[in-house]
Coordinates of all heavy atoms in Angstrom, one line a residue:
A1 N 71.8 70.3 225.0 CA 71.3 69.0 224.6 C 72.3 68.2 223.9 O 73.3 68.7 223.4 CB 70.1 69.3 223.7
D2 N 72.1 66.9 224.0 CA 73.1 66.0 223.2 C 73.1 66.4 221.8 O 74.2 66.3 221.2 CB 72.6 64.5 223.4 CG 72.7 64.0 224.8 OD1 73.7 64.4 225.5 OD2 71.8 63.3 225.3
V3 N 72.0 66.7 221.2 CA 71.9 67.3 219.9 C 70.9 68.3 219.8 O 69.7 68.1 220.2 CB 71.7 66.2 218.8 CG1 70.4 65.4 219.0 CG2 71.7 66.8 217.4
G4 N 71.3 69.6 219.4 CA 70.3 70.7 219.4 C 69.9 70.9 218.0 O 70.8 71.0 217.1
I5 N 68.6 71.1 217.7 CA 68.1 71.3 216.4 C 67.3 72.6 216.4 O 66.5 72.8 217.3 CB 67.1 70.2 216.0 CG1 67.8 68.8 216.0 CG2 66.5 70.4 214.6 CD1 66.9 67.6 215.8
S6 N 67.7 73.5 215.5 CA 67.0 74.8 215.5 C 66.2 75.0 214.2 O 66.6 74.5 213.1 CB 68.0 76.0 215.7 OG 68.8 76.1 214.5
M7 N 65.1 75.7 214.3 CA 64.4 76.2 213.1 C 65.2 77.4 212.6 O 66.1 77.8 213.2 CB 63.0 76.6 213.5 CG 62.2 75.6 214.4 SD 61.8 74.1 213.5 CE 60.3 74.6 212.7
L8 N 64.7 77.9 211.4 CA 65.4 79.0 210.8 C 64.9 80.2 211.6 O 64.0 81.0 211.1 CB 65.1 79.1 209.4 CG 66.0 79.9 208.5 CD1 67.4 79.4 208.5 CD2 65.5 79.9 207.0
G9 N 65.4 80.5 212.8 CA 65.0 81.6 213.6 C 66.1 82.6 213.9 O 66.6 83.2 213.0
T10 N 66.4 82.8 215.2 CA 67.4 83.8 215.5 C 68.8 83.3 215.2 O 69.1 82.1 215.3 CB 67.3 84.2 217.0 OG1 67.6 83.0 217.8 CG2 65.9 84.7 217.3
D11 N 69.7 84.2 215.0 CA 71.1 83.8 214.8 C 71.7 83.1 216.0 O 72.5 82.1 215.8 CB 72.0 85.1 214.5 CG 71.7 85.7 213.2 OD1 71.1 85.0 212.4 OD2 72.1 86.8 212.9
A12 N 71.3 83.5 217.2 CA 71.9 82.8 218.4 C 71.5 81.4 218.4 O 72.3 80.5 218.8 CB 71.4 83.6 219.6
A13 N 70.2 81.1 218.1 CA 69.7 79.7 218.1 C 70.4 78.9 217.1 O 70.8 77.7 217.3 CB 68.2 79.7 217.9
M14 N 70.6 79.4 215.9 CA 71.2 78.7 214.8 C 72.7 78.4 215.1 O 73.2 77.4 214.7 CB 71.0 79.5 213.5 CG 69.6 79.4 213.0 SD 69.3 80.6 211.6 CE 70.3 79.9 210.3
E15 N 73.3 79.4 215.7 CA 74.7 79.3 216.1 C 74.9 78.2 217.1 O 75.9 77.4 217.1 CB 75.3 80.6 216.6 CG 76.8 80.7 216.7 CD 77.4 80.8 215.3 OE1 76.9 81.4 214.4 OE2 78.5 80.2 215.2
A16 N 74.0 78.1 218.1 CA 74.1 77.2 219.2 C 73.7 75.8 218.9 O 74.1 74.8 219.5 CB 73.3 77.7 220.4
S17 N 72.9 75.6 217.8 CA 72.4 74.3 217.5 C 73.4 73.5 216.7 O 74.4 74.0 216.1 CB 71.1 74.4 216.7 OG 71.3 75.1 215.5
D18 N 73.2 72.2 216.6 CA 74.0 71.2 215.9 C 73.5 70.9 214.5 O 74.2 70.5 213.6 CB 74.2 69.9 216.7 CG 74.6 70.2 218.1 OD1 75.6 71.0 218.3 OD2 74.0 69.7 219.1
I19 N 72.1 71.1 214.4 CA 71.4 70.8 213.2 C 70.4 71.9 212.9 O 69.8 72.4 213.9 CB 70.7 69.4 213.2 CG1 71.7 68.3 213.4 CG2 69.8 69.2 212.0 CD1 71.0 66.9 213.7
V20 N 70.3 72.5 211.7 CA 69.4 73.6 211.4 C 68.4 73.1 210.3 O 68.9 72.6 209.3 CB 70.2 74.8 210.9 CG1 69.2 76.0 210.7 CG2 71.2 75.3 211.9
L21 N 67.1 73.3 210.5 CA 66.1 73.0 209.5 C 65.9 74.2 208.7 O 65.3 75.2 209.2 CB 64.8 72.6 210.2 CG 64.9 71.4 211.2 CD1 63.5 71.1 211.7 CD2 65.5 70.1 210.5
M22 N 66.5 74.2 207.5 CA 66.6 75.5 206.7 C 65.3 76.0 206.2 O 65.2 77.2 205.8 CB 67.6 75.3 205.5 CG 69.0 74.9 205.9 SD 69.8 76.1 207.0 CE 70.0 77.5 205.9
D23 N 64.2 75.2 206.1 CA 62.9 75.7 205.6 C 61.8 75.7 206.7 O 60.6 75.8 206.3 CB 62.5 75.0 204.4 CG 62.4 73.5 204.6 OD1 62.6 73.1 205.8 OD2 62.1 72.7 203.7
N24 N 62.2 75.6 208.0 CA 61.2 75.6 209.1 C 60.1 74.6 209.0 O 59.1 74.8 209.5 CB 60.6 77.0 209.2 CG 61.4 78.0 209.9 OD1 62.4 77.6 210.6 ND2 61.1 79.3 209.9
N25 N 60.4 73.5 208.3 CA 59.5 72.4 208.2 C 59.8 71.4 209.3 O 60.8 70.6 209.2 CB 59.5 71.8 206.8 CG 58.5 70.7 206.6 OD1 57.9 70.2 207.6 ND2 58.4 70.2 205.4
I26 N 59.0 71.3 210.3 CA 59.3 70.5 211.5 C 59.3 69.0 211.2 O 60.0 68.2 211.8 CB 58.3 70.9 212.7 CG1 58.9 70.4 214.0 CG2 56.9 70.3 212.4 CD1 58.1 70.9 215.2
S27 N 58.5 68.6 210.1 CA 58.5 67.2 209.8 C 59.9 66.7 209.2 O 60.1 65.5 209.1 CB 57.4 66.9 208.8 OG 57.7 67.5 207.5
K28 N 60.8 67.7 208.9 CA 62.1 67.3 208.4 C 62.9 66.6 209.5 O 63.9 65.9 209.2 CB 62.9 68.5 208.0 CG 62.4 69.2 206.7 CD 62.8 68.4 205.5 CE 62.3 68.9 204.2 NZ 62.9 70.1 203.7
I29 N 62.4 66.6 210.8 CA 63.1 65.9 211.8 C 63.0 64.4 211.6 O 64.0 63.7 211.8 CB 62.4 66.2 213.2 CG1 62.8 67.6 213.6 CG2 62.9 65.2 214.3 CD1 62.1 68.2 214.8
K30 N 61.9 63.9 211.0 CA 61.7 62.5 210.6 C 62.8 62.2 209.6 O 63.4 61.1 209.7 CB 60.3 62.3 210.0 CG 59.2 62.2 211.0 CD 57.9 61.6 210.4 CE 57.4 62.4 209.2 NZ 56.2 61.9 208.7
T31 N 62.9 63.0 208.6 CA 63.9 62.8 207.5 C 65.3 62.8 208.1 O 66.1 61.9 207.7 CB 63.8 64.0 206.5 OG1 62.4 64.1 206.1 CG2 64.6 63.7 205.3
A32 N 65.6 63.7 209.0 CA 67.0 63.7 209.6 C 67.3 62.5 210.4 O 68.4 61.9 210.3 CB 67.1 64.9 210.6
I33 N 66.3 61.9 211.2 CA 66.5 60.7 211.9 C 66.7 59.5 211.0 O 67.6 58.7 211.2 CB 65.3 60.5 212.9 CG1 65.2 61.5 214.0 CG2 65.4 59.1 213.5 CD1 64.0 61.5 214.9
K34 N 65.9 59.5 209.9 CA 66.0 58.4 208.9 C 67.4 58.4 208.3 O 68.0 57.4 208.1 CB 64.9 58.5 207.9 CG 63.5 58.0 208.4 CD 62.4 58.3 207.4 CE 61.1 57.9 207.9 NZ 60.0 58.2 206.9
I35 N 67.8 59.6 207.9 CA 69.2 59.8 207.2 C 70.3 59.3 208.2 O 71.2 58.6 207.8 CB 69.4 61.2 206.8 CG1 68.5 61.5 205.5 CG2 70.9 61.5 206.4 CD1 68.5 63.0 205.1
S36 N 70.1 59.7 209.5 CA 71.2 59.4 210.5 C 71.3 57.9 210.7 O 72.4 57.3 210.7 CB 70.9 60.1 211.8 OG 69.7 59.6 212.4
K37 N 70.1 57.2 210.7 CA 70.1 55.8 211.0 C 70.7 55.0 209.7 O 71.4 54.1 209.8 CB 68.7 55.3 211.3 CG 68.3 55.7 212.7 CD 67.0 55.1 213.2 CE 66.8 55.5 214.6 NZ 65.6 54.9 215.2
K38 N 70.3 55.5 208.5 CA 70.8 54.9 207.3 C 72.3 55.1 207.2 O 73.0 54.2 206.8 CB 70.1 55.5 206.1 CG 70.4 54.8 204.8 CD 69.5 55.2 203.6 CE 69.8 54.5 202.4 NZ 69.0 54.9 201.2
T39 N 72.8 56.3 207.6 CA 74.2 56.6 207.5 C 75.0 55.6 208.4 O 76.0 55.1 208.0 CB 74.5 58.0 207.9 OG1 73.7 58.9 207.0 CG2 75.9 58.4 207.8
I40 N 74.5 55.4 209.6 CA 75.2 54.6 210.6 C 75.2 53.1 210.0 O 76.2 52.4 210.1 CB 74.5 54.6 212.0 CG1 74.5 56.0 212.6 CG2 75.1 53.6 212.9 CD1 75.9 56.6 212.8
N41 N 74.0 52.7 209.5 CA 74.0 51.3 208.9 C 75.0 51.1 207.8 O 75.7 50.1 207.7 CB 72.6 51.1 208.4 CG 71.6 50.8 209.5 OD1 72.0 50.4 210.6 ND2 70.3 51.0 209.2
I42 N 75.1 52.2 206.9 CA 76.0 52.1 205.8 C 77.5 52.0 206.3 O 78.3 51.3 205.8 CB 75.8 53.2 204.8 CG1 74.5 53.0 204.1 CG2 77.0 53.3 203.8 CD1 74.0 54.2 203.2
A43 N 77.8 52.9 207.4 CA 79.1 52.9 208.0 C 79.5 51.5 208.5 O 80.6 51.0 208.3 CB 79.2 53.9 209.1
Y44 N 78.5 50.8 209.2 CA 78.7 49.5 209.8 C 78.9 48.5 208.6 O 79.8 47.6 208.7 CB 77.5 49.1 210.6 CG 77.6 49.5 212.0 CD1 76.5 50.2 212.6 CD2 78.7 49.3 212.8 CE1 76.6 50.6 213.9 CE2 78.8 49.8 214.1 CZ 77.7 50.4 214.7 OH 77.8 50.9 216.0
Q45 N 78.1 48.6 207.6 CA 78.2 47.7 206.4 C 79.6 47.8 205.8 O 80.3 46.8 205.5 CB 77.2 48.0 205.3 CG 75.8 47.6 205.7 CD 74.8 48.2 204.7 OE1 75.1 48.5 203.6 NE2 73.5 48.4 205.1
N46 N 80.1 49.1 205.7 CA 81.4 49.3 205.1 C 82.5 48.7 205.9 O 83.5 48.1 205.4 CB 81.6 50.8 204.9 CG 80.9 51.4 203.7 OD1 80.3 50.6 202.9 ND2 80.8 52.7 203.6
I47 N 82.4 48.9 207.3 CA 83.4 48.3 208.2 C 83.5 46.8 208.1 O 84.5 46.2 207.9 CB 83.2 48.8 209.6 CG1 83.4 50.3 209.8 CG2 84.0 48.0 210.6 CD1 82.9 50.9 211.1

């Protein structure tokens, strides 16, 4: 996948993924997307 997200499951899944949700809370995906968009906005603002 362009970006792989794993729950706190098997070692193989966590090793292969790009993002790991450390407490198995699937709603953290919303938080991750919001953080990523805010980060990009701040980077553009800085440039």
Side-chain angles (χ1 to χ4, degrees):
D2 294 319
V3 58
I5 303 172
S6 71
M7 310 293 277
L8 200 60
T10 61
D11 287 348
M14 289 168 67
E15 194 70 35
S17 62
D18 309 310
I19 297 172
V20 183
L21 305 181
M22 298 303 290
D23 57 3
N24 276 350
N25 183 350
I26 199 169
S27 67
K28 288 283 176 77
I29 289 171
K30 286 196 296 185
T31 311
I33 293 171
K34 286 175 182 175
I35 287 171
S36 68
K37 290 190 171 177
K38 188 171 182 181
T39 303
I40 299 301
N41 285 339
I42 290 170
Y44 276 129
Q45 285 170 26
N46 285 349
I47 292 168

